[in-house]
Amino acid sequence: MDRAGRFVELLENGKIKKNILPNSSEDYTLIQEQKELEEYVRFLNSFAFDTLRECEVALYNGDEQV
């Protein structure tokens, strides 16, 4: 058996953990969601958001009243 085949066999038998497989690594989702929420709130309180909100944009056909 070649080395690649042996490696796959070990993975399939659970002898080697692969981090991208489900339930084999820590779940950072909640931590990341909280961090992104904090960054979004920070952006909403920034001058950059105020500048974007004050920009006037040209109307396009989807905005026209029929």
Side-chain angles (χ1 to χ4, degrees):
M1 181 181 290
D2 64 340
R3 291 177 191 238
R6 177 75 177 131
F7 178 74
V8 170
E9 181 182 312
L10 290 172
L11 275 176
E12 290 175 344
N13 293 332
K15 304 291 182 185
I16 299 175
K17 298 285 186 194
K18 190 172 179 185
N19 288 336
I20 63 171
L21 295 175
N23 300 325
S24 64
S25 62
E26 290 186 45
D27 182 12
Y28 294 103
T29 306
L30 296 176
I31 297 168
Q32 189 62 35
E33 285 179 4
Q34 183 63 36
K35 182 178 179 185
E36 288 176 2
L37 176 62
E38 290 169 3
E39 290 294 322
Y40 182 66
V41 169
R42 183 172 165 230
F43 169 70
L44 292 177
N45 290 324
S46 70
F47 291 110
F49 179 69
D50 293 339
T51 303
L52 287 174
R53 196 170 43 180
E54 293 170 359
C55 289
E56 291 186 27
V57 294
L59 292 177
Y60 68 101
N61 290 340
D63 286 338
E64 293 178 0
Q65 300 284 329
V66 178

